[in-house]
Amino acid sequence: IGATLQRKFERINFSTSLRQPLITGMRPPLLQYIGADITLFETNVQKLQVSANASRNFRAPTLNDRYWEDVGRKDLLPEESYAMESGLLWVYHKVKLRGTAFYQLVDQWILWSPDSTNTYRPDNIKKVKARGFETSTEFEWKVRSFSQTVRGSYQFTKSTTEEASLAEAASIGKQLIYTPLHTAAASIVSRFKNWSANVFLQYSGVRFTEASNSPVY
C-alpha cells in the first residue's frame, strides 16, 4: 500500500511518498521517502543542479535466503535501514560531470558468508554502516555520421560492521567481505553509420574474504 506526491516548480522537482508493505508473518514499518532536484541555473550551454533525498527502507529475506537447499535459514530477520543521498550535476555543452555522496545505516544486514566448513550460509549482521561517494563524467563528440562517447566513473564505498554478535566481534569496524573500497570503470563507444566499436575497462580494489579483514595469501 502506498501513496506518492510529486510537484514541479520552476526550478524544483519535489517528491515524497509513504509505503506500507504487507508481508505474512512480518510487521514491516511505514516507509517514508522525500527528495528534491533543484536547478541552480540553466542556459543554452550549461546547467547546474543539486539533489538530495532521504528514506526509510525495508527488505525481507528472499526465497533463496530462507529456503536454499541445506543452507537457507527460515529464522532470518528482515533488513531495516535509513538512507541519505546528495548530488551535484554540471552539464556544459556535451560534457556531463556528476558527483554523489551517500550514507546508509542498516539493522540486520543479510550477508552470505562461509562458516567453519567453508559452506556459504546467510546470516544477519546486527548493524552495518555504508557511506561513500561516486563521481562520473561523460563526453560526446559528433561529426556527421561519426560519433564518439567517452564515459568514466569512480566509487568509494566504506561499508563496516558497527555491531555484531560476540562470535563475530572481530568484524566490528572492519570492511564487509567482498565489498571493495574502490571501484572504477571507463568506456569508449565509437559509431559510424550502422557500425560501432566498444572498449570497456573495469577496476575493483581488494576484496576481503575474512570478516576480520585478515589478508589471505
Side-chain angles (χ1 to χ4, degrees):
I1 300 176
T4 300
L5 172 65
Q6 293 182 323
R7 179 67 186 274
K8 184 175 182 179
F9 301 92
E10 182 178 357
R11 292 184 176 272
I12 301 175
N13 289 332
F14 172 81
S15 63
T16 184
S17 67
L18 291 174
R19 291 188 300 116
Q20 180 59 68
L22 301 176
I23 302 176
T24 303
M26 297 183 184
R27 299 182 62 183
L30 180 65
L31 306 179
Q32 308 94 28
Y33 169 88
I34 184 170
D37 298 324
I38 304 172
T39 301
L40 299 181
F41 67 84
E42 185 173 11
T43 67
N44 292 333
V45 297
Q46 65 176 322
K47 175 182 177 180
L48 183 62
Q49 184 181 78
V50 296
S51 61
N53 63 71
S55 61
R56 185 180 186 183
N57 307 292
F58 175 89
R59 189 176 81 88
T62 65
L63 291 176
N64 285 343
D65 294 333
R66 290 168 58 87
Y67 300 110
W68 192 268
E69 186 177 3
D70 297 329
V71 297
R73 289 185 53 181
K74 297 180 182 180
D75 61 343
L76 284 172
L77 299 175
E79 296 179 356
E80 295 188 27
S81 67
Y82 294 91
M84 295 182 292
E85 185 178 283
S86 61
L88 181 68
L89 170 66
W90 180 51
V91 180
Y92 183 74
H93 290 286
K94 297 295 184 178
V95 178
K96 293 182 181 180
L97 298 175
R98 187 186 301 271
T100 304
F102 59 89
Y103 176 91
Q104 187 177 26
L105 191 63
V106 186
D107 287 327
Q108 306 303 339
W109 179 298
I110 298 173
L111 179 70
W112 285 72
S113 57
D115 60 14
S116 57
T117 64
N118 206 35
T119 300
Y120 281 76
R121 302 179 186 275
D123 200 0
N124 289 111
I125 302 177
K126 287 187 178 180
K127 185 169 289 186
V128 169
K129 184 191 295 183
R131 62 278 194 199
F133 64 90
E134 180 178 7
T135 61
S136 64
T137 183
E138 179 180 324
F139 170 73
E140 184 178 0
W141 178 59
K142 186 174 183 178
V143 177
R144 296 183 180 178
S145 299
F146 177 80
S147 68
Q148 191 166 61
T149 303
V150 179
R151 297 184 180 94
S153 65
Y154 167 78
Q155 186 172 38
F156 173 84
T157 305
K158 182 73 172 177
S159 297
T160 54
T161 301
E162 300 299 304
E163 295 180 16
S165 63
L166 185 61
E168 300 291 337
S171 67
I172 295 177
K174 303 298 194 303
Q175 182 79 355
L176 292 185
I177 62 173
Y178 308 120
T179 303
L181 277 172
H182 309 281
T183 56
S187 66
I188 300 175
V189 180
S190 301
R191 298 183 180 89
F192 180 72
K193 294 185 177 180
N194 295 327
W195 296 83
S196 67
N198 305 330
V199 177
F200 183 77
L201 302 173
Q202 188 170 12
Y203 167 80
S204 177
V206 174
R207 299 172 186 257
F208 294 105
T209 58
E210 297 286 341
S212 62
N213 289 180
S214 300
V216 177
Y217 300 101

